[in-house]
Amino acid sequence: MTSNLHKSAAQVRQEFIDYFVQRGHRYVPSSPVAPLDDATLLFTNAGMNQFKDVFLGIGKRDYRRAANSQKCIRVSGKHNDLEEVGLDTYHHTFFEMLGNWSFGDYFKEDAIRWSWELLTGVWGLPKHRLWVTVFAGDERDGLPADDEAARIWREHTDIDPTHILRFGRKDNFWEMGETGPCGPCTEIHIDRGGPGSNPLDGADRAIGVNAGNERFMELWNNVFMQFNRRDDGKLVELPAKHVDTGMGFERVLAVLQGKASNYDTDLFQPLFRRMEQLTGLRYGADPAADIAFRVCADHVRALSTAIADGALPSNEGRGYVLRRLLRRASRFGRQRMNMKQPFLFDVVPTVAEVLGGAFPELRAREEHIRTAIKSEEESFGVTLERGLVLFDQLAKKVDAGGAKRLPGGDAYDLYATYGFPQDLVEQMARERGWSLDAEGWNAAQEKHRTASRSEGAFKQLLSAEQLTGLPATRSLCHEAGAAGVRAKARVLRSFSSAGQKDRVVLDATPFYAESGGQIGDSGVLRGAQGAVVFEVEQTLKLGPVIVHVGKALAPFASWAESSGAEVSAEVDVQRRDATRRNHTATHLLHRALKEVLGAHVAQQGSYVGPDRLRFDFSHGKGLSAEELERIERMVNERVYDNAPVKTTVEELDAAKSRGVVAMFGEKYEAQVRVLDVGGWSMELCGGTHVRAAGDIGPFVVLSERAVAAGVRRIEALTGGEALAHLQGQRRALSAAAQALKTAPDEIVGRIEQLQAQLKEARKREAASNKADITTLFETVKARLVLRAGVLAGVIDLGDVDGESVRELGERVKSLSKDLAVALLGRDDGRVPFLIACEGAALSKGLKAGDLAKLAAQHLGGGGGGRPTLAQGQGLNPASAPAACAALSEALDRALGQ
């Protein structure tokens, strides 16, 4: 154990992988933490996610044993409450899961024996501090206790037999979901002890293992997949039994390095050192600041890995989760580290340095990650200020109602929308002598969680039971000629259920299933007599199984449910051809972007359909008109050259070594399809494409804009859609020329002429308005009254714009050093107003800022400023008389009637 204290995280991670590789396991790199091809997952949350199809019996690998360290993010669930992260020393959102797997190969004996040998033999953990749990059985499912696992622990390891404990279904039976593969598990826990403590004996175990305390910690879980839970809840034996294990890397590293906290390991300490440089604080000096250190370190790791894999903060799905993480970290930085300016982005290089050896994409995309995080931090700073204004407005409602309690539902909106946590809202309420309606807050929170769960729930295309045992669909979409769009196939299964489209699975299909940004094919299935029996609206993929989704035109029983029923599967060729044009053009666009903007350009996402193409890419600024024209011209030149389009199947490593481009965030098999367009564009792609670049037809860029920090989007058209767009532009140009009474090539000059005329007209109008301001000033001057030594008045000017109100205010201030004046105007449905208080008015308690807030209470909108000068803009012109009355009353109270 002593030698482990000096091992780095990189060494421990590699020792785990090497141990299992030496025992016949294939090292499989981590899949992306933001899975782009799995609609059931916001984030990869376990090592087994990338092998889910194998466990369901619908996928295969060319190996039967695997091991890796998987990047995972968990932000919800029993043991992963986001609000707990940072408050203790062992919760995380991002973590690594060390795992080894057997796909129908070894089972309980080898899994248990190797777990014990690695922990105690290789890493030297003290055996007397290790405890294991096994399944105690479950009456409801009619399952006996896992006596086999208990026997293996006793006979094949030298663990203390009294340290083998039995627990029920809650702790020792693992399930993938409501249906699907599942089985008993055996967990290994360690007694980390405490000050002056000894390991607990068997009599005291009730306060130890699985008791929810920090002293006993689960290290490793070995799941034995031997059952399948059907839709009716019953369990049946799986034909092939699997092993799925998972060990939290951060936890075991803390144990091996002799640290009481995961955050004291070399995975986190370099991040703390960097934050100390940025903040001037020291980790360990102040408990409140320490929480902020842990929150920021954890969240910046999660953000960095997710962004490196192609995800971005946004307002929906996984992007919303990332935005919440960033705002939570930023808020802790502001509140407890006094970091008012962005700083998390400056920790990213340290994250890349610590984790980049295991996950090289962090180093490759470091600058992109920094840009995205910095932009989000800046945006949140603005949002936070806006939230403070809204809190003030909420406070005015409370004041007006005479209550001393902040409504919980309204207050919770500040959290959900602006990131204000409950403790900050409570603190701001206490500063005003109020309390927070906690019951209302909790009710709003639960409503939000319910909506989030509903929004995030994936409506399963097929249940685990429906999928189990289905063979991989033989894909024919890449076959040459008619075989790639029309084929005979046998119906394997058909599904119809309330609230969902009908679904059909065939043994083979020419339909392309949605993947890699390209939408799935549509078309029809024809029965034995040639009649259409099923309209295919969408084609999707679940692992290696392709599912045709649409509408059955005849009852399934009449054509799909007889053994070996045959159909003719026919793709909508016109739609497929249009999609192929756009897909190949997308690859040419990617290469052109790299040529014009630089090698840093990387795909961030795409949409390829028959109507258009959309391409998101990393780049820090908008493209100039000249750059867009170069890119458009470059793609069209390749089209004119009619370069051949070739697709080959190659080994992944060999393809990458010769410069073939792979997309960040995609998980590729060992053998991949390589698309080569004339040797100019070479990328990994499993989509459908044209035979030669000339088939694309004209390529036209429609638009270019930002979609996130450091990410741009280009939308474009090809073929007939591009031609139709160009013809539409020509018609619009011709119509504009006619309206302007000029030739099309002289439109710019004509517009410049009209603009010059308009500018001159505005000058004349401004001169006229100046004369009007002078007249208005005389009117205002006549309506002001000297009261208690103060020149005062509240004057509604009617239809006077904001600029004129401000100019009148400046002129009024020249009339006296002692004044209290409020001016209100009208401007495009708004009420601009200005209030000035100077000299004796201030000594009598009048403040322009307070009066502006009073006006805003009636007018809506905002208003505020200094005691001497304040202004604002109301939203409700109908309330102007009420605002004037309220302001007049305020002057009366201060100056007398």
Side-chain angles (χ1 to χ4, degrees):
M1 180 68 178
T2 304
S3 61
N4 289 317
L5 299 178
H6 304 293
K7 286 181 179 177
S8 68
Q11 286 175 294
V12 173
R13 184 191 295 112
Q14 194 60 48
E15 284 180 354
F16 176 88
I17 293 168
D18 290 345
Y19 178 85
F20 284 101
V21 167
Q22 291 162 10
R23 285 155 183 78
H25 292 63
R26 171 80 63 85
Y27 168 66
V28 180
S30 171
S31 62
V33 77
L36 303 181
D37 59 350
D38 189 343
T40 68
L41 283 174
L42 282 180
F43 297 101
T44 299
N45 58 14
M48 57 75 62
N49 288 160
Q50 66 171 304
F51 305 117
K52 188 163 60 173
D53 60 320
V54 179
F55 294 131
L56 288 169
I58 60 174
K60 292 182 179 179
R61 302 290 188 274
D62 63 352
Y63 48 86
R64 300 186 69 186
R65 300 179 179 187
N68 81 353
S69 180
Q70 172 64 48
K71 297 175 293 185
C72 298
I73 290 179
R74 293 182 185 175
V75 290
S76 62
K78 177 183 173 186
H79 299 298
N80 299 282
D81 187 343
L82 174 59
E83 297 304 325
E84 294 296 320
V85 174
L87 303 186
D88 57 34
T89 61
Y90 56 90
H91 275 95
H92 303 289
T93 55
F94 170 79
F95 63 96
E96 292 180 56
M97 183 72 82
L98 302 175
N100 60 287
W101 294 271
S102 165
F103 308 124
D105 190 29
Y106 63 84
F107 203 45
K108 295 180 183 180
E109 182 178 326
D110 285 337
I112 289 172
R113 184 164 49 82
W114 287 337
S115 299
W116 186 255
E117 182 180 285
L118 177 60
L119 290 176
T120 63
V122 177
W123 285 339
L125 293 185
K127 299 173 184 177
H128 65 286
R129 288 192 177 275
L130 295 176
W131 296 70
V132 299
T133 64
V134 297
F135 182 51
D138 185 80
E139 287 186 14
R140 191 185 79 179
D141 279 329
L143 291 174
D146 192 356
D147 293 329
E148 180 186 8
R151 177 185 57 77
I152 292 170
W153 277 112
R154 287 194 307 271
E155 296 179 2
H156 293 272
T157 75
D158 56 353
I159 190 171
D160 181 344
T162 66
H163 285 205
I164 303 172
L165 311 177
R166 293 173 185 260
F167 287 87
R169 175 176 167 175
K170 175 186 172 187
D171 295 301
N172 278 85
F173 194 86
W174 188 91
E175 305 200 46
M176 182 184 290
E178 292 183 5
T179 63
C182 54
C185 61
T186 182
E187 298 177 338
I188 305 170
H189 298 249
I190 188 166
D191 175 7
R192 297 193 294 175
S197 69
N198 293 313
L200 300 179
D201 60 31
D204 296 321
R205 65 174 181 263
I207 66 169
V209 177
N210 282 336
N213 60 75
E214 293 188 35
R215 174 170 172 172
F216 277 78
M217 183 173 68
E218 177 195 333
L219 286 181
W220 204 341
N221 188 12
N222 284 256
V223 179
F224 306 122
M225 302 264 199
Q226 59 188 99
F227 300 106
N228 181 51
R229 189 174 294 280
R230 302 188 318 193
D231 287 340
D232 61 8
K234 294 182 179 178
L235 296 174
V236 294
E237 288 268 351
L238 285 171
K241 295 177 172 59
H242 311 296
V243 173
D244 166 28
T245 87
M247 174 163 52
F249 180 47
E250 289 76 8
R251 287 186 175 188
V252 75
L253 183 65
V255 171
L256 292 175
Q257 292 185 347
K259 306 297 185 183
S261 161
N262 296 357
Y263 291 94
D264 291 338
T265 67
D266 61 335
L267 286 173
F268 291 93
Q269 287 298 304
L271 277 63
F272 290 168
R273 300 293 84 79
R274 178 58 180 147
M275 283 190 278
E276 287 173 345
Q277 294 172 352
L278 294 169
T279 65
L281 305 175
R282 184 172 63 82
Y283 182 69
D286 173 32
D290 288 352
I291 291 174
F293 271 96
R294 292 193 291 268
V295 167
C296 293
D298 173 272
H299 291 6
V300 79
R301 281 171 24 114
L303 288 160
S304 297
T305 52
I307 293 171
D309 280 341
L312 285 168
S314 67
N315 284 328
E316 58 186 25
R318 65 171 60 102
Y320 177 61
V321 174
L322 296 180
R323 180 158 284 168
R324 281 180 63 203
L325 289 177
L326 186 136
R327 290 183 172 186
R328 184 170 186 262
S330 181
R331 177 177 58 78
F332 269 92
R334 283 170 170 265
Q335 285 182 265
R336 305 198 181 189
M337 293 174 154
N338 199 34
M339 295 299 290
K340 306 300 183 187
Q341 299 301 316
F343 75 102
L344 295 170
F345 76 98
D346 264 335
V347 186
V348 170
T350 310
V351 175
E353 182 182 339
V354 173
L355 296 177
F359 311 115
E361 60 275 10
L362 284 164
R363 289 175 178 166
R365 311 209 71 194
E366 181 183 314
E367 193 54 40
H368 170 64
I369 299 166
R370 290 182 80 248
T371 299
I373 290 180
K374 184 179 182 183
S375 175
E376 275 294 309
E377 288 187 271
E378 291 171 340
S379 174
F380 181 53
V382 174
T383 299
L384 202 60
E385 294 303 323
R386 201 177 302 145
L388 290 170
V389 172
L390 289 178
F391 181 87
D392 284 341
Q393 291 179 356
L394 179 57
K396 288 172 187 173
K397 289 183 183 178
V398 176
D399 273 334
K404 294 293 183 182
R405 200 170 188 219
L406 203 60
D410 292 338
Y412 183 78
D413 284 342
L414 291 174
Y415 166 74
T417 307
Y418 296 98
F420 277 45
Q422 187 171 354
D423 59 350
L424 180 57
V425 175
E426 287 176 334
Q427 176 186 327
M428 294 168 69
R430 280 195 301 271
E431 289 171 357
R432 295 172 178 262
W434 301 339
S435 63
L436 172 66
D437 168 23
E439 188 175 321
W441 176 286
N442 293 336
Q445 185 177 52
E446 184 55 34
K447 183 178 178 182
H448 179 80
R449 283 176 176 167
T450 301
S452 297
R453 280 195 296 266
S454 173
E455 183 178 306
F458 173 71
K459 197 166 194 176
Q460 279 194 312
L461 188 61
L462 295 176
S463 70
E465 184 186 358
Q466 290 170 331
L467 278 170
T468 301
L470 277 172
T473 308
R474 189 160 53 91
S475 176
L476 307 173
C477 66
H478 294 297
E479 296 292 321
V485 293
R486 186 181 303 109
K488 296 291 184 183
R490 187 166 54 86
V491 177
L492 297 182
R493 292 183 194 171
S494 57
F495 308 93
S496 181
S497 55
Q500 281 192 283
K501 299 273 189 180
D502 297 325
R503 289 139 290 155
V504 173
V505 177
L506 307 175
D507 66 333
T509 182
F511 285 78
Y512 176 82
E514 182 175 315
S515 180
Q518 179 178 335
I519 67 169
D521 281 332
S522 63
V524 298
L525 303 182
R526 296 184 184 274
Q529 306 304 317
V532 175
V533 292
F534 192 90
E535 290 181 347
V536 180
E537 300 170 2
Q538 190 178 23
T539 309
L540 300 173
K541 185 163 58 175
L542 289 175
V545 175
I546 295 175
V547 184
H548 306 79
V549 182
K551 181 180 180 182
L553 301 186
F556 281 133
S558 68
W559 60 273
E561 295 178 359
S562 60
S563 177
E566 191 176 82
V567 295
S568 175
E570 301 176 8
V571 174
D572 182 334
V573 176
Q574 188 174 356
R575 185 174 181 273
R576 162 82 73 84
D577 287 345
T579 304
R580 291 195 305 174
R581 285 193 292 269
N582 285 332
H583 201 162
T584 307
T586 300
H587 287 264
L588 295 179
L589 172 61
H590 191 190
R591 175 58 193 268
L593 285 164
K594 286 179 178 287
E595 290 281 322
V596 173
L597 305 179
H600 66 279
V601 168
Q603 182 175 345
Q604 285 295 124
S606 66
Y607 164 84
V608 178
D611 53 334
R612 71 188 193 286
L613 67 90
R614 183 183 71 223
F615 191 78
D616 297 345
F617 58 98
S618 53
H619 189 60
K621 60 181 180 180
L623 277 63
S624 67
E626 292 76 13
E627 288 172 328
L628 279 174
E629 286 180 0
R630 282 184 62 197
I631 290 163
E632 190 176 59
R633 185 166 56 250
M634 199 172 285
V635 172
N636 279 297
E637 285 170 354
R638 292 299 173 279
V639 173
Y640 305 151
D641 290 344
N642 198 27
V645 176
K646 297 178 181 177
T647 302
T648 55
V649 178
E650 303 179 22
E651 294 293 326
L652 176 61
D653 292 340
K656 286 183 175 180
S657 68
R658 70 182 185 90
V660 175
V661 176
M663 180 182 168
F664 285 108
E666 284 283 1
K667 179 69 177 176
Y668 296 102
E669 300 295 333
Q671 285 202 320
V672 293
R673 295 182 69 84
V674 176
L675 180 77
D676 184 335
V677 186
W680 189 69
S681 169
M682 295 186 297
E683 298 186 346
L684 301 180
C685 185
T688 59
H689 293 276
V690 298
R691 289 162 296 186
D695 295 344
I696 295 171
F699 170 85
V700 176
V701 172
L702 284 179
S703 62
E704 187 275 336
R705 63 185 177 88
V707 291
V711 179
R712 311 294 301 180
R713 171 174 291 172
I714 282 180
E715 296 197 61
L717 302 174
T718 65
E721 294 289 341
L723 179 61
H725 173 74
L726 292 173
Q727 290 173 335
Q729 293 277 290
R730 186 170 59 199
R731 286 194 298 271
L733 184 65
S734 176
Q738 288 181 359
L740 293 170
K741 296 181 172 55
T742 189
D745 58 353
E746 295 176 356
I747 283 181
V748 174
R750 177 61 175 149
I751 290 174
E752 288 174 347
Q753 181 186 31
L754 290 173
Q755 286 177 328
Q757 292 172 359
L758 180 61
K759 186 177 180 180
E760 185 60 34
R762 282 175 173 166
K763 280 183 181 178
R764 291 194 297 270
E765 183 182 10
S768 174
N769 287 343
K770 195 166 185 180
D772 291 343
I773 289 289
T774 302
T775 303
L776 275 172
F777 177 62
E778 293 301 322
T779 301
V780 169
K781 198 162 57 167
R783 293 176 61 183
L784 295 177
V785 178
L786 190 65
R787 301 168 60 183
V790 175
L791 191 64
V794 176
I795 303 170
D796 188 348
L797 300 167
D799 292 326
V800 175
D801 63 24
E803 185 177 346
S804 298
V805 169
R806 287 189 290 275
E807 186 171 341
L808 281 169
E810 287 300 316
R811 293 193 182 192
V812 166
K813 286 164 63 178
S814 67
L815 296 176
S816 173
K817 63 182 179 62
D818 303 303
L819 58 85
V821 177
L823 304 176
L824 289 78
R826 303 289 189 283
D827 188 3
D828 194 23
R830 307 283 176 109
V831 184
F833 62 86
L834 178 142
I835 301 171
C837 295
E838 295 188 349
L842 294 173
S843 64
K844 293 181 182 294
L846 289 172
K847 294 180 180 178
D850 291 345
L851 293 174
K853 291 178 181 178
L854 175 63
Q857 286 180 10
H858 295 275
L859 297 171
R866 303 187 307 275
T868 56
L869 182 66
Q871 53 190 319
Q873 185 159 250
L875 303 176
N876 186 7
S879 297
C884 289
L887 291 170
S888 295
E889 288 177 12
L891 295 188
D892 289 345
R893 285 194 298 271
L895 304 176
Q897 297 293 332

